[in-house]
Amino acid sequence: MSDIYVPGVTSRFDSDKLIENLMRVERIPKERIDKNVENLETQKTYWQDVGRRITTLRESARILYSFQNPFNDRIVRSSDELVITGTATREATQQERNFIVKQIAQADRFLSAPLEDSFRVEGGSYAFSLGGEEISFDFRGGSLREFTEAVNRQGRDKLRASLVTVEPGTKSLFLESLLTGETNRLGFSGDMETLAVKTGLAERISDSRRDIPLVQAALGEISGPQEAVSVGEDILRVAAGGGVSIPVDPGLRAGPGLVLAFETATKVIAPEDIPVPKPPPGPAIPDPPSVSYGGITIENDPSSVPIPQWKPPPPPVRRDNMAVLSLTFSDGTKAILPPIRDSEDFSAYQYRLSDIAGDKTINSMALVNDNTHRDISIRSIRVFDPDVQGGIKPKNPISLAQDAVVAMDGITVKRPINSIDDLIPGVNLTVRGPSDRPVKLGVEQDRESVKNAIFSLVGNYNRLMAEVNVLTRNDDRIIQELSYLSTEEQDELRKRLGSFAGDSTLNQFKQNLQRLAGSPYPTMAERDLSMFSQIGIGTDVRGAGAGSGYDPSRLRGYLEIDERVLDNALETKLQAIQQLFGNDTDGDLIVDSGIAYSLENISKPYVESGGIISLKTGTIDSRISQDQRRIETLDRQLAAKEAALKLQYGQMEGAYNRMEQMSTSLEQFSQRANNNNNR
C-alpha cells in the first residue's frame, strides 16, 4: 500500500526522501560545529568546577589565618554539665573557676485541687500581681477552659494558665509565672483571691512579717566608744571599734519558712585618715612670785619641771573581720551570721532562720564592729515568710519564685535568672541544677574547632587535587583510587578523564600546590614545628615505607592525616600551629607567611575577578559565540538550499505530470482514430 500513488497527495519519485538525503550531506559542516560548541560548553563547565574547587580551598585556607580564625575561639568546659554550663566569646580569657550552685532561679507555679469538669468560674474582676506589675481583666463568667484562655490572652509572655487532668472527670487549674526571681512573686487580688482560696490554689494565713525598728530608743547595750554608734533615717551606723545590741521585743520564734533580711554598707578608712595621737600637754606650772620695794620689782626665777621625751604609741594592728552580725537566743546561746562583703552601696542579704536558729526564740541581734579600718551601716532589718503575699500562701506550689544563688571561688552572687553574663567577662553561664560539691568550669581554646578547620582544608585540598588529576591524566586508576566516591560519582568523573591532558595551567597549579604543602614555614618554635608533616599531615605520614610496596596513589599529591599526631600537636603546640598556618614575621600586624596564607595567595590569581579561570571561560565563550554565528549563517544557507531543492523537484514532478497527461491524450486520440477506421 505504501507504493500507491495518489496524485496531488504523494510524490511519484519520493522527492521528500531524496531532498532529506541531500540535506543530510549539506548539514555535516553544521553538525560538526554543533558538536564543537557542545564540547566547548563541557570544557567551560569543567573549568567552572575547577574554579569552584579552588574557591572552596581558598576560603578554607583564609579561615585558618584571618581575623576570625578558630585559634581565637573559646569554649567553656564544665566538670558537671547537669549543674552549670557556659559559652564564651573570643574576648574571654583562659581561666578556671570553681562554682557551687546553691539554688537555681525558679518561677512561681501553683496547682489547684482537683475540680469537677462542670466547675464554673464566677464573673468578676480578676487581678494578678507579678513583681511590680499588675495583670487584670474582667471575666463575664464561664468554664475553667474559658477562664484559662482569658488568663493567657492577658498574661502573654508573663503569666500562663492551663488545665491538667488529674483523674477522669476532674481537672486542676495550673498557674505559672514565666518570670523567674524572688522579686517576681505571683500574687492574687480582687476576685482572683477568692477563686484561689476556693479552688485550693492558695490558703489564707496570718502575715508573720516583723520590721525591727532602728531608732535610738530601740537600741540596747553599746560597747566601745558611745560616739561610735549613731542612728538616723532608719540607718544604724557603727564606726570602727564600736558595737551595739538591737533587741527583738517580743522575742521571735524562728519558725519554718521565715527569712531574716537586711542591707549593709561599709566604708573602708585609709590608713592615713586614722587620727594619730598627739603628745600630752604636760603639767600646768603657776607663775613665780615677785617682790616690789620703792618702785622696784624683783621677779623670781620661773619653776622648771623635767618632762620625759614623748614616744607615740605604735599604730593599731589592722584587723579585718566581716562576720560582725550575730543573733542571741532566749536560752543564752548565740549564732554568728555569715560574713558580709565590702560595698559602699547597700547590699541585700537573706537567710532562712531555720538554718541558723533551728526552732529557738530570737531575743536580740548584735552588730559588733571590731574592725580597725572600717565603718559599717545596716538598715531595713525585717523577718518575713516569702511565700506569703498579702495574707495568701500557695497551698500546692509546684515551685516557688527564687533567685539563682551561685558561689564562684567562694564569692556568692544572686541573679533573678539562670543565665548569667556579667560574672566572667566574655562568658555566658547557664545554671542548670544545684550541687553541694564544687564544679570546675574552664575557659580554654576551642581545639576541636581548629581541628575541624584543618580537616576541612585538607579535604578541600584533596578534592581539588583529585579534580586536577582526573582532568590532566588519562588513567582510570586515578578514579579507582578515590574509594570515597560513589559509583555514580566515579562514572561522572570518567567522562572528564584526560579532558585537559595537554593544559599546562592545571599541571603547573598542581605542582605549586604540592610544593607549598611540603615547604617549611617559620614559627615561634621553628625547630620543633615548621612543616605540615610535623603535625601529622603529609603525603605519606602513616609511614607506608618499603614494606608496603609501591603505591602510585601516594605520588598523586593527596594529603593524609595522622589524627593521633595532630591531636597531640593541638594539645601541646597550639600557638605554633597557628603560626604554621598564618604568621606575621615582620611585626607589622599583617600575616605574611604560613601554609594557609600561601594557599590563599596561590589560589587568588585563578579565581579573582578577571583571573585565570575567568580568562579560560571567557576564551571559550568567545569561541562559542563565533561558532554560533557560523551556525546561524549555515542555518540560513541550509534553509535556502532546502527551499531550492523543493522548488526544483516540484517543477520536475510538474513537468513529468504534464508529459504524462499529454501521453494519455495521444493514446486516447489514437484509439479513437483506430475505432473510426474499423467502421
Side-chain angles (χ1 to χ4, degrees):
M1 294 294 294
S2 59
D3 296 333
I4 296 176
Y5 166 64
V6 180
V9 177
T10 60
S11 171
R12 181 186 299 273
F13 303 104
D14 200 2
S15 300
D16 291 339
K17 186 175 181 180
L18 292 173
I19 293 173
E20 178 60 30
N21 290 335
L22 292 173
M23 290 303 300
R24 186 178 296 115
V25 176
E26 296 290 336
R27 291 192 190 99
I28 290 176
K30 175 182 177 295
E31 290 173 351
R32 290 174 179 169
I33 299 175
D34 283 335
K35 184 64 176 178
N36 188 51
V37 169
E38 183 180 344
N39 292 336
L40 290 173
E41 292 282 2
T42 301
Q43 291 180 21
K44 179 182 176 181
T45 301
Y46 294 166
W47 279 114
Q48 289 173 336
D49 290 344
V50 171
R52 281 190 287 269
R53 295 287 185 195
I54 296 176
T55 299
T56 303
L57 175 65
R58 181 188 179 192
E59 292 172 350
S60 299
R62 188 188 295 125
I63 287 174
L64 280 163
Y65 80 90
S66 67
F67 176 74
Q68 295 294 333
N69 68 78
F71 294 96
N72 292 328
D73 291 343
R74 301 288 184 267
I75 60 171
V76 178
R77 296 194 184 277
S78 172
S79 61
D80 192 343
E81 294 187 351
L82 297 178
V83 176
I84 187 170
T85 59
T87 57
T89 64
R90 299 165 70 89
E91 289 72 28
T93 58
Q94 297 187 64
Q95 56 189 294
E96 186 175 282
R97 302 283 187 176
N98 287 322
F99 288 87
I100 296 179
V101 178
K102 299 180 179 180
Q103 65 182 38
I104 64 173
Q106 294 184 149
D108 277 333
R109 302 164 70 224
F110 305 151
L111 185 68
S112 75
L115 305 171
E116 297 294 333
D117 288 342
S118 59
F119 183 88
R120 301 282 297 177
V121 179
E122 301 295 332
S125 180
Y126 292 82
F128 303 85
S129 61
L130 195 56
E133 187 175 347
E134 184 177 272
I135 300 171
S136 61
F137 60 92
D138 292 330
F139 184 63
R140 64 182 181 180
S143 65
L144 279 172
R145 183 168 300 281
E146 291 172 332
F147 179 74
T148 59
E149 291 173 353
V151 172
N152 291 333
R153 282 196 300 270
Q154 299 298 323
R156 297 184 181 178
D157 56 347
K158 295 181 176 64
L159 180 65
R160 183 165 57 201
S162 60
L163 295 176
V164 179
T165 302
V166 180
E167 297 177 358
T170 64
K171 288 183 174 59
S172 290
L173 177 62
F174 182 53
L175 286 176
E176 58 179 328
S177 165
L178 302 180
L179 303 177
T180 60
E182 62 183 21
T183 59
N184 294 314
R185 295 193 174 278
L186 179 59
F188 309 125
S189 59
D191 292 321
M192 186 59 215
E193 182 176 331
T194 304
L195 179 64
V197 175
K198 182 178 180 180
T199 58
L201 275 169
E203 58 183 340
R204 299 189 188 279
I205 192 171
S206 59
D207 197 341
S208 58
R209 181 183 177 93
R210 287 274 298 275
D211 292 321
I212 299 176
L214 293 176
V215 294
Q216 192 69 39
L219 298 182
E221 181 182 354
I222 297 176
S223 60
Q226 292 288 321
E227 63 274 12
V229 178
S230 62
V231 178
E233 300 179 354
D234 195 34
I235 298 176
L236 172 62
R237 299 176 178 85
V238 180
V244 64
S245 174
I246 308 167
V248 178
D249 189 22
L252 179 65
R253 187 176 182 82
L258 291 181
V259 170
L260 170 65
F262 54 85
E263 298 177 9
T264 66
T266 61
K267 180 181 179 182
V268 179
I269 305 171
E272 59 270 15
D273 294 336
I274 296 179
V276 179
K278 297 180 179 179
I285 303 175
D287 293 334
S290 61
V291 177
S292 298
Y293 178 78
I296 299 173
T297 302
I298 299 174
E299 300 284 350
N300 197 0
D301 288 337
S303 300
S304 63
V305 178
I307 300 176
Q309 184 179 1
W310 162 253
K311 292 183 178 180
V317 178
R318 184 182 180 98
R319 179 176 172 79
D320 293 297
N321 179 22
M322 305 305 289
V324 296
L325 294 168
S326 63
L327 299 177
T328 302
F329 308 118
S330 58
D331 61 359
T333 59
K334 291 185 178 181
I336 299 176
L337 297 179
I340 63 174
R341 57 182 177 273
D342 272 323
S343 173
E344 293 189 358
D345 298 324
F346 278 95
S347 300
Y349 300 86
Q350 283 190 9
Y351 303 102
R352 288 195 176 273
L353 286 177
S354 58
D355 298 337
I356 299 172
D359 59 352
K360 297 179 181 180
T361 299
I362 302 170
N363 282 350
S364 65
M365 180 178 181
L367 195 165
V368 180
N369 184 7
D370 56 353
N371 293 272
T372 55
H373 296 70
R374 185 178 287 106
D375 296 340
I376 299 175
S377 301
I378 188 170
R379 72 180 184 185
S380 303
I381 305 176
R382 62 197 184 279
V383 177
F384 65 97
D385 187 341
D387 299 337
V388 177
Q389 294 285 321
I392 294 290
K393 182 177 182 178
K395 193 172 183 179
N396 297 303
I398 304 301
S399 64
L400 295 173
Q402 63 182 25
D403 290 339
V405 180
V406 178
M408 182 186 74
D409 294 337
I411 304 172
T412 301
V413 298
K414 296 175 66 176
R415 296 292 187 274
I417 57 177
N418 290 316
S419 180
I420 305 174
D421 60 1
D422 58 354
L423 193 56
I424 302 177
V427 178
N428 187 8
L429 302 173
T430 302
V431 179
R432 301 190 179 278
S435 175
D436 296 332
R437 294 182 299 178
V439 176
K440 286 186 178 181
L441 208 69
V443 180
E444 58 186 50
Q445 289 178 293
D446 189 357
R447 289 175 170 79
E448 194 65 28
S449 178
V450 175
K451 182 178 178 180
N452 291 336
I454 294 175
F455 271 59
S456 177
L457 175 68
V458 172
N460 291 327
Y461 178 97
N462 285 340
R463 290 303 296 264
L464 172 60
M465 189 63 70
E467 186 86 14
V468 173
N469 283 334
V470 169
L471 290 172
T472 57
R473 300 287 299 276
N474 197 3
D475 186 351
D476 191 68
R477 289 179 298 176
I478 294 175
I479 298 177
Q480 295 175 8
E481 293 164 0
L482 305 177
S483 58
Y484 55 85
L485 296 178
S486 65
T487 303
E488 292 76 12
E489 290 174 325
Q490 289 183 349
D491 292 341
E492 183 62 30
L493 280 182
R494 284 189 175 89
K495 299 177 182 178
R496 308 183 177 204
L497 198 62
S499 297
F500 299 150
D503 189 273
S504 61
T505 301
L506 287 182
N507 284 302
Q508 183 179 1
F509 180 62
K510 174 186 173 181
Q511 294 170 4
N512 289 336
L513 286 178
Q514 292 176 299
R515 176 179 55 81
L516 292 179
S519 299
Y521 299 90
T523 67
M524 61 178 293
E526 186 172 349
R527 293 182 179 178
D528 298 329
L529 185 59
S530 61
M531 298 187 67
F532 233 3
S533 59
Q534 291 174 306
I535 63 172
I537 302 175
T539 56
D540 192 13
V541 295
R542 299 176 186 174
S548 299
Y550 171 69
D551 186 356
S553 66
R554 298 183 184 274
L555 304 177
R556 313 284 190 207
Y558 303 124
L559 295 177
E560 299 175 347
I561 298 178
D562 188 331
E563 195 168 353
R564 180 185 56 82
V565 176
L566 178 60
D567 287 341
N568 182 65
L570 289 173
E571 191 66 33
T572 59
K573 303 175 182 179
L574 190 60
Q575 187 174 0
I577 293 176
Q578 179 178 359
Q579 294 180 347
L580 179 64
F581 284 99
N583 191 16
D584 171 22
T585 59
D586 54 11
D588 61 354
L589 303 181
I590 299 176
V591 174
D592 53 26
S593 176
I595 296 174
Y597 170 81
S598 299
L599 287 175
E600 200 272 340
N601 269 2
I602 196 178
S603 302
K604 184 178 179 180
Y606 286 84
V607 295
E608 65 182 349
S609 179
I612 295 174
I613 300 296
S614 179
L615 291 175
K616 289 284 187 180
T617 56
T619 301
I620 292 175
D621 286 337
S622 298
R623 293 175 60 186
I624 291 174
S625 297
Q626 293 175 359
D627 285 345
Q628 286 177 340
R629 287 194 294 271
R630 292 177 60 191
I631 290 172
E632 292 173 358
T633 301
L634 289 174
D635 281 339
R636 291 193 297 270
Q637 293 174 352
L638 289 171
K641 181 69 174 180
E642 186 174 6
L645 288 174
K646 288 180 178 180
L647 178 61
Q648 292 174 2
Y649 275 89
Q651 291 174 345
M652 181 189 70
E653 289 205 9
Y656 184 83
N657 289 337
R658 288 193 297 273
M659 291 175 61
E660 190 176 51
Q661 291 173 0
M662 183 178 294
S663 175
T664 302
S665 298
L666 289 173
E667 287 180 0
Q668 292 175 352
F669 178 78
S670 176
Q671 186 176 1
R672 285 196 300 271
N674 291 333
N675 291 335
N676 291 330
N677 292 331
N678 292 331
R679 290 178 183 174

